[in-house]
Amino acid sequence: MRTGALLAAIAIPIFGYPLAAQRGDDLLDADGSISFDHFHTWQEVNLIMERLSLRYPELTELESIGRSYEGVELLVMTITNEATGPASEKPAFYLDGGIHAAELTGSEVALYTLGYLLEHSKNDAQVRALLDTRSFYIRPKFNPDGSNLVLNTDQSLRSTVHPVDEDFDGISDEDPGEDLDGDGWITRMRQVSNSGPMCAQPEDPRILVRRQDTPPGATCYDVFPEGIDNDSDGRFSEDGIGGIDMNRNFPRNWERWHLQPGSGDYPLSEPETAATVRFINDHRNIAFIVHGHTSGGFVFRLPSASPPSLFDTTDLALIDDLSAFYSETTGRPIIPSATHPTNHRYGTLISFGYWDHGVVGWVPEYSPGPEKWVPDANGDGEVTESDWHAYNDSAFDGSYFSPWTKFDHPELGEVEIGGWHRKFWGQNPPAELLLAEVEQQVPWFLHLAGRTPLVRVAEPVIQELGNDRYRVSVTVRNDGDLATHLTQRGYEGRRTDDGRLVQQVIAPPVVTLQHRGGTIVSGGDGPLPASRMTIDHLAGANGTTTAVTARDVTVTWVVESTGPFAVRATVVSQKGGTHRSAWVRKR
Ligand SMILES: [Zn+2]
């Protein structure tokens, strides 16, 4: 019976993953919404995005921006209402997730957000207005190889699966952790030791506490990660899979390994980071970057990979202003990523976004951890590991903890293996709590998307000057909240000898007068009359940035015509979109 194989062959979609994800039908509910009852593999996410792109063809574009280390397509979904203009002509909001392999919630938030936008595209006024005027670029699986390794195997890793010799013995990835007891989880090993630093809590011996916090007579242990010493160097699990941290691999303020472990051999050495920078360079309409990580239950803001003293104070005020809505809606704090004058991260994505593109970015660390989502069962005013066990036992049948079990270890002798499943009880929430975590992130994204600059051009006004000459006046206005240069950094450029500011980080808006009939005899950027006129940046409703103060400007051309003619104006702003007036006729 070959029907299954035949169907699979016919149904294999453009991105070429096998329909092993035969559970595709379970991934979307009947109404097209995505189920968040489990964490999704990249195959599932790509299949969902493909299904949604077929369900909402007028709102979506699905493209691959490159391939991962293992050759998986890196998919980005563009969402906007194409009836009101192409995505590239609207200010854009960029959201990704999962650059760090085990930070699976970041991918789920991005997936949830794209589903939310599409499901609410008809009946939600806020979403409808945003899709009419803004674009969203959403990339749930920044690092498909790493996230699938975490989901499908007992292994974990920081970022890409690209092998690295982390212990400098000439061999890469030779001493990962092992699931010795075969329960599917790499947990911990404990071995009874009179001098061991950790001891069993008398009331619940599953719990290990520091020796100084236990009464005399407790059983104490040496504790190791679960595994064997594969390379006989006396250490367990010190050279696992991978070792590069892709969020240290971006080109702005990159540093080599001795200052920044995990940075890679050179900036953008990884295909996933190189694809990201290419994408951002090619999409100059991106006005915000939200780079989704997990865990902690807060958001990192700029500055990130640079000393705080270098950071513009006006921009800091603007970032606080843009961040406030997140704390209001989630109750979670926004904290600076860099606070020390010299000790800071290097080569992060949001640093690249700010210094190279003038764009504000954030790193949300989703999922606050068990301290926040476990109820205080014993009512002592704090959530301790005892409460974790009470909740895990009652709500989840104990499924997120492997009970300590005796094991005859080849190197250590008798040990016990057990502990929390940190992937889903710590770093990520249990799948049962995933939906509650992801849905609370969306209001801030919509809020940010609505705060971009948004340029509009009025119909040209034609005024007769005599002698077949006409003055054509065009008024351009920024209706958005932020200035067209977004930030003070965006306004920076090079001063020429005659005092002009050129090569600004964010290019200034350009107004173009299209004409049929007639000749332009004055106006334009250069010494000769021309249709193209560069204007200064325009302020937005938000007064925090002060490089410019005018929200609108009127520019003029002189057109000579002995007969009828027609004109229309177009304004192009890198971050504020493209807008065209109607045609205006004379005679
Ligand atoms: Zn991270």
Side-chain angles (χ1 to χ4, degrees), residues 24 65 85 96-97 102 129 210 223-224 227 299 327 335 377 447 503 515 581-582:
I65 63 166
D96 70 27
R210 293 178 308 167
V223 181
F224 311 93
V299 172
S327 297
I335 61 178
H447 171 85
Q503 297 292 334
H515 62 100
S581 76

Side-chain angles (χ1 to χ4, degrees), residues 18 63 116 131 167 222 238 253 313 372 379 409 414 420 424 427 448 506 527 533 537 561:
E63 70 176 306
Y116 184 96
L131 296 183
D167 58 349
D222 290 322
E238 81 291 345
N253 221 9
T313 52
K372 285 285 191 301
H409 191 275
E414 187 176 295
W420 291 101
F424 301 109
Q427 187 154 25
L448 287 177
I506 294 174
M533 195 108 78
H537 280 289
S561 180

Side-chain angles (χ1 to χ4, degrees), residues 455-460 474-477 511 569-571 579-582:
V455 294
R456 290 293 176 255
V457 58
E459 282 188 4
V474 173
T475 299
V476 176
R477 180 176 166 80
V511 189
T570 303
V571 58
H579 189 237
R580 293 173 188 82
S581 76

Side-chain angles (χ1 to χ4, degrees), residues 100 103 158 293-294 365:
H100 289 147
E103 304 186 5
R158 175 70 168 159
H293 289 233
T294 317
E365 294 285 357

Side-chain angles (χ1 to χ4, degrees), residues 183-248:
D183 68 349
W185 303 97
I186 294 175
T187 54
R188 295 200 287 174
M189 309 189 291
R190 66 183 190 184
Q191 184 170 44
V192 175
S193 157
N194 288 334
S195 59
M198 303 300 287
C199 306
Q201 191 189 74
E203 307 84 62
D204 185 344
R206 291 178 296 184
I207 299 174
L208 291 174
V209 290
R210 293 178 308 167
R211 170 182 282 273
Q212 58 264 42
D213 298 335
T214 26
T219 309
C220 296
Y221 300 93
D222 290 322
V223 181
F224 311 93
E226 184 179 353
I228 52 175
D229 176 17
N230 309 64
D231 55 352
S232 305
D233 66 353
R235 291 178 291 166
F236 291 101
S237 314
E238 81 291 345
D239 193 348
I241 296 169
I244 292 172
D245 179 344
M246 290 199 284
N247 199 25
R248 307 292 181 270

